[in-house]
Amino acid sequence: MKLYNIKENDEQVSFGQAVRQGLGRNQGLFFPSELPKFDDVDALLAEDFISRSTKILSAFIKEELPQDTVRSMVENAFQFPAPIKAVKDDVYALELFHGPTLAFKDFGGRFMAQSLAAVTDSDEQITILTATSGDTGAAVAHAFYGMDNIKVVILYPKGKISPLQEKLFCTLGKNIHTVAVDGDFDDCQALVKQSFDDAELRKEVGLNSANSINISRLMAQICYYFEAVSQLPKEKRNDVVISVPSGNFGNLTAGLLAKSLGLPVKRFIAATNVNDTVPRYLETGQWEPKVTIPTISNAMDVSQPNNWPRIEELCQRLGWGLETLGKGAVTDEQSAETLKEMNQAGYLCEPHGAIAYRILNEQLSDGETGLFLCTAHPAKFKEVVEDILGNDIELPAPLAKHNAMELLSEDLDNDFDALKAVLRKVQ
Ligand SMILES: *Cc1c(COP(=O)(O)O)cnc(C)c1O
C-alpha cells in the first residue's frame, strides 16, 4: 500500500520510504492511502497477540514485506505483554508499561527499529541521531540495541535529566552511544538539526532520525487496542469507551485507526492536562495553541500536537464527525487528587494514566465499559508519585538493573565540530 503526504497529496511513497524519510515535503505527515477493514473481528480477537498483530500490520504492508517477515518483526518488537487490570466495576486499566523502558513508547519505538532494519540492506550503514529530554532516548536506545549496521547517537543535556532516566539508556554500550552535552535540550536539538543540514555529513554517516511522527510507530500502536478489547469478557465488548492521555496525539490516532479496521469502540476520549489545545478546539472549533505550561504529566506538555492532522484526515475520510470524540482537560491538582483516590482503591498509577481515568469516570454512562491507557510505569515518575502518595515506590526489575550499572556517556562541548568528530568515530 502506498502512503501519501497529507499536505501535498501528489507525494506518494512506499512503507519503506515513509519509514526512512519520516516526514514528507513541506513537513507533511504520511498517511495510508487505503484503510483496510477486517470482516471477522471476533475471529481476529480470538487470536494471540503476536498472530493478531502480524495480521493487522500485514493488512497495511503485505505488498512490501511478506507475512513471515512481519511476524518475526512483531515477535522481536512485542516481547512484553499489554495486560488489562480491573480498577473498579466496568473500568479497566490498559497497562502499556511492561517494556524495557517502562512506557508505551517501547511498542512503537521497537517496531520502528524492526521496520527500519527490514527496509534497509544489511551492508548499508545508518546512524540514528536524536536529542532527548529523557524518555524518547531510552525507548530509541533499547529498540536499536544490538542491531549491527545501525549506530545510535543520543544527545542529552548534561545534568538536566533525572539520574534514573540517564541510567536507563546510558548504560547499554555496543551500538548505542550516549553523549552528555554541556547545554540544555534546545542546544541538543540545535546540534541535531545542524547535522541534518550538513548534506556531506548526512551522506557520509547515513544519518537518519527516529522521529516520533514515523508512521511505523502508529501502526504498531494499533495492535494493543485490539489486545485490550480481546481481554474483555465477550459481553462487555459492545459498548467500550477508551480514554487516551494525550500529548502529541499519536496514541489517539492509533486508536482511531484500530476502530477504522473494525475494532468495536463506541467512543474515544481525548484526555489532556492543562495544555488543552485539542479539547478547546473540539469545543469551539478554533485552533488556538497557547504557551506550553509545565505539569506533573510532563510527557503531555504539548500545545501544538503534531499528529492532529492525521486525526482530521482519518475522520474526514471515514465521515466521522469530530463531535463524536469525548474530551477533557485536568489540572495538576485534580491529577494528584485522582492518583490518591486510585491508590486508595488499590491501584497504583502515575499522573498520565490518572488523567485518562478521571475523565473516563466523569463521562462513562451506565452499561458502558471503560478502558483507560496507562502510558508509563509509576516508578518512571517516582519523585512525583511518592510526593503525592507519601510512600515509597519500588523500582521494577529493568530499572533496578540499569540503576546498578556504570554510565557510559561521553561529555561533549556544545559544539558542532566536536559532534561531527563523535559521529565519525562511532562508525
Ligand atoms: C508520549 C507520552 C504520552 C503522550 O502520547 P501521545 O501519543 O504523544 O499523545 C502520554 N504519556 C506518556 C507517559 C508518554 O510518554
Side-chain angles (χ1 to χ4, degrees), residues 119-267:
V119 302
T120 49
D121 294 330
S122 55
D123 58 354
E124 195 177 340
Q125 190 57 46
I126 293 180
T127 305
I128 304 273
L129 176 64
T130 190
T132 185
S133 53
D135 288 341
T136 307
V140 168
H142 283 262
F144 286 93
Y145 180 63
M147 289 186 167
D148 287 340
N149 67 321
I150 303 181
K151 305 278 187 273
V152 177
V153 177
I154 302 174
L155 311 184
Y156 65 98
K158 187 175 166 71
K160 296 199 174 69
I161 68 175
S162 84
L164 209 58
Q165 272 180 327
E166 188 175 24
K167 283 283 179 133
L168 192 49
F169 71 100
C170 301
T171 49
L172 288 168
K174 281 198 186 167
N175 61 328
I176 310 299
H177 304 271
T178 51
V179 180
V181 176
D182 185 15
D184 58 21
F185 176 61
D186 291 317
D187 295 325
C188 298
Q189 273 197 305
L191 284 171
V192 169
K193 184 160 184 304
Q194 231 178 329
S195 309
F196 279 94
D197 285 345
D198 185 330
E200 200 183 314
L201 178 72
R202 214 167 59 207
K203 190 149 172 271
E204 183 188 330
V205 301
L207 271 196
N208 196 301
S209 80
N211 210 307
S212 66
I213 41 75
N214 201 288
I215 192 74
S216 60
R217 291 177 169 243
L218 293 189
M219 288 179 177
Q221 290 172 243
I222 295 171
C223 302
Y224 55 64
Y225 285 92
F226 278 85
E227 175 65 5
V229 173
S230 81
Q231 293 170 61
L232 288 173
K234 281 216 173 73
E235 68 279 6
K236 291 195 174 183
R237 289 184 192 166
N238 293 326
D239 292 296
V240 177
V241 179
I242 304 184
S243 180
V244 185
S246 296
N248 255 329
F249 281 80
N251 227 344
L252 184 60
T253 310
L256 290 165
L257 280 168
K259 181 170 165 137
S260 81
L261 285 166
L263 186 70
V265 180
K266 190 170 170 190
R267 75 180 176 279

